Amino acid sequence: MAAASVASRVESLASSGIQSIPKEYIRPKEELTSIGDVFDEAKKEEGPQLPTIDLKGMMDSEDKAVRDECRAQLINAAKEWGVMHLINHGIPDDLMESVKKAGEGFFELPIEEKEKYANDQASGKIQGYGSKLANNASGQLEWEDYFFHLVFPEDKRDLSIWPKNPTDYIEATSEYARQLRVLTTKILSVLSLGLGLEEGRLEKEVGGMEELLLQMKINYYPKCPQPELALGVEAHTDVSALTFILHNMVPGLQLFYQDKWVTAKCVPNSIIMHVGDTVEILSNGKYKSILHRGLVNKEKVRISWAVFCEPPKEKIILQPLPEVVSEKDPALFPPRTFAQHIEHKLFRKSQEGKKEEKDALVAK
């Protein structure tokens, strides 16, 4: 079984010496015009830049004015962009480095070794080592392998599928998840205040300490011989409440802002935070879940560690909170469970794919 699946890994494809990529990885024509060299893109100084929010004032200051100013900046970034670099966020640099070293160590193992942790999406076993399966009508694939697992709450984890090698993987990742969960509460508190709600409201609405799930996905983007034709991850918005991202300081993240793709710069010791669809829905669109994608390159492997903070699939109905809805601001989203929201997005995507396929056939 391992041998059969090895061939499907992007890493084995990338290291096979191919000069051109298989057609399943080539993006549709309309996307190709906007894919540039990511290193050139990341150097651009003109145009809008992803905001950097320094949380030091919010975390440390006893001065109310300083705390309020920091909160206001975070709230504005969540409304204007829906994504930001967080610095001085309280998670130690050496812990973040340990998490990154452990994840890099796993991906440096031989593919045969990684295959012991392979997931099986067809049977619903989504945790573990995997590669993207085509889930749209055009059969498009993304230039990435990944490792996906639930990291918090601790009583819901399945440590049997966590990498045993490197030996500090479990310890470093567990501690990072614990500290990230504390940061999640702080961010949700500020976003609640920004909607005129009491501090704990958004946290309660997404499941609280017991039910909010933190799912880590380590994205591994191998070097690509034709990066101008492929994407590491295609354009999407996150379904989560919040997403927190570390990366190995190789640029690749792009945000669709004011009708243009903006490349995020690499900010040392920062965590990138996205507002996800869940918070966008609860806030009735006051906070933005921004469209984003990942570019790949010829020269460097890119790795990112995304932690998605997700509400329970069935227990909570996601809909705009009554306090943010009025005659002037009617509800923009229908009531759905988190599972229904995911289904809705997948259905819409498959319908768009079928339409593209039909249009292509007509064009022939």
Side-chain angles (χ1 to χ4, degrees):
M1 142 150 194
S5 51
V6 168
S8 66
R9 301 303 175 206
V10 179
E11 180 189 352
S12 57
L13 188 60
S15 59
S16 68
I18 57 167
Q19 298 302 304
S20 54
I21 62 174
K23 63 174 176 26
E24 310 88 83
Y25 293 92
I26 297 174
R27 303 309 301 176
K29 271 202 187 84
E30 62 275 12
E31 280 184 64
L32 294 179
T33 54
S34 69
I35 299 176
D37 180 292
V38 71
F39 297 112
D40 291 344
E41 296 289 335
K43 284 180 200 144
K44 285 183 182 169
E45 295 297 337
E46 74 277 5
Q49 303 290 331
L50 185 62
T52 296
I53 307 299
D54 187 342
L55 296 184
K56 189 167 175 53
M58 196 176 94
M59 302 290 196
D60 301 340
S61 181
E62 292 177 14
D63 184 334
K64 183 178 182 303
V66 172
R67 288 199 308 275
D68 289 350
E69 172 57 25
C70 181
R71 286 173 177 159
Q73 287 176 9
L74 195 155
I75 289 162
N76 288 340
K79 288 179 174 176
E80 173 72 14
W81 279 81
V83 62
M84 63 204 78
H85 297 284
L86 301 178
I87 58 171
N88 293 316
H89 37 67
I91 297 180
D93 297 346
D94 59 355
L95 175 58
M96 296 194 298
E97 279 309 307
S98 296
V99 169
K100 292 199 271 190
K101 279 208 171 66
E104 284 167 354
F106 173 76
F107 276 97
E108 282 165 3
L109 295 173
I111 290 186
E112 290 72 15
E113 194 62 31
K114 295 194 283 272
E115 286 297 335
K116 293 174 183 172
Y117 299 93
N119 63 11
D120 182 6
Q121 295 172 61
S123 70
K125 185 189 160 213
I126 58 170
Q127 294 196 76
Y129 175 59
S131 305
K132 171 79 180 281
L133 294 178
N135 67 351
N136 54 29
S138 57
Q140 215 93 57
L141 293 172
E142 296 166 340
W143 194 261
E144 71 153 341
D145 299 324
Y146 63 81
F147 192 91
F148 179 77
H149 59 327
L150 186 148
V151 294
F152 199 91
E154 294 184 348
D155 62 348
K156 292 185 166 73
R157 303 178 306 180
D158 179 3
L159 288 179
S160 72
I161 60 122
W162 287 41
K164 310 293 181 288
N165 187 2
T167 52
D168 64 343
Y169 183 96
I170 292 176
E171 186 187 345
T173 305
S174 298
E175 182 56 28
Y176 177 62
R178 279 193 285 272
Q179 296 207 25
L180 203 53
R181 186 62 186 85
V182 172
L183 180 60
T184 301
T185 294
K186 289 176 179 169
I187 298 291
L188 288 172
S189 298
V190 174
L191 295 179
S192 289
L193 294 170
L195 295 173
L197 307 169
E198 70 265 18
E199 269 187 84
R201 182 63 183 284
L202 281 178
E203 168 120 7
K204 178 169 158 274
E205 295 290 342
V206 298
M209 196 55 82
E210 300 297 311
E211 299 285 351
L212 185 68
L213 304 178
L214 270 58
Q215 315 255 25
M216 179 183 274
K217 184 170 176 241
I218 308 175
N219 300 297
Y220 182 85
Y221 306 106
K223 296 176 195 175
C224 179
Q226 293 179 298
E228 70 284 359
L229 298 180
L231 285 175
V233 60
E234 63 190 10
H236 66 287
T237 61
D238 289 351
V239 293
S240 59
L242 301 172
T243 304
F244 296 94
I245 301 173
L246 298 176
H247 56 79
N248 65 337
M249 294 298 284
V250 175
L253 174 65
Q254 287 194 317
L255 303 312
F256 196 64
Y257 179 76
Q258 294 180 347
D259 297 328
K260 284 196 181 71
W261 286 107
V262 175
T263 304
K265 297 195 181 308
C266 295
V267 176
N269 305 320
S270 71
I271 298 176
I272 294 171
M273 186 191 83
H274 286 265
V275 170
D277 296 351
T278 296
V279 164
E280 181 178 63
I281 291 166
L282 293 169
S283 72
N284 202 31
K286 292 182 173 53
Y287 296 130
K288 301 282 182 286
S289 179
I290 195 169
L291 192 69
H292 57 284
R293 68 182 188 183
L295 298 191
V296 290
N297 71 83
K298 266 184 187 178
E299 297 156 48
K300 292 181 178 175
V301 169
R302 180 169 184 262
I303 311 179
S304 68
W305 290 255
V307 175
F308 304 99
C309 306
E310 298 183 350
K313 280 199 157 57
E314 305 289 355
K315 281 192 181 177
I316 292 168
I317 300 295
L318 292 181
Q319 59 189 330
L321 298 173
E323 296 91 333
V324 296
V325 174
S326 65
E327 222 173 295
K328 191 165 72 69
D329 283 320
L332 299 173
F333 307 92
R336 288 191 179 108
T337 63
F338 185 61
Q340 286 168 336
H341 175 65
I342 293 169
E343 279 304 308
H344 166 72
K345 286 186 82 162
L346 289 175
F347 175 75
R348 200 171 62 190
K349 185 173 173 183
S350 76
Q351 293 308 300
E352 285 165 2
K354 282 175 190 161
K355 181 179 181 303
E356 282 167 19
E357 197 170 52
K358 193 171 152 199
D359 290 349
L361 289 169
V362 170
K364 281 179 185 170

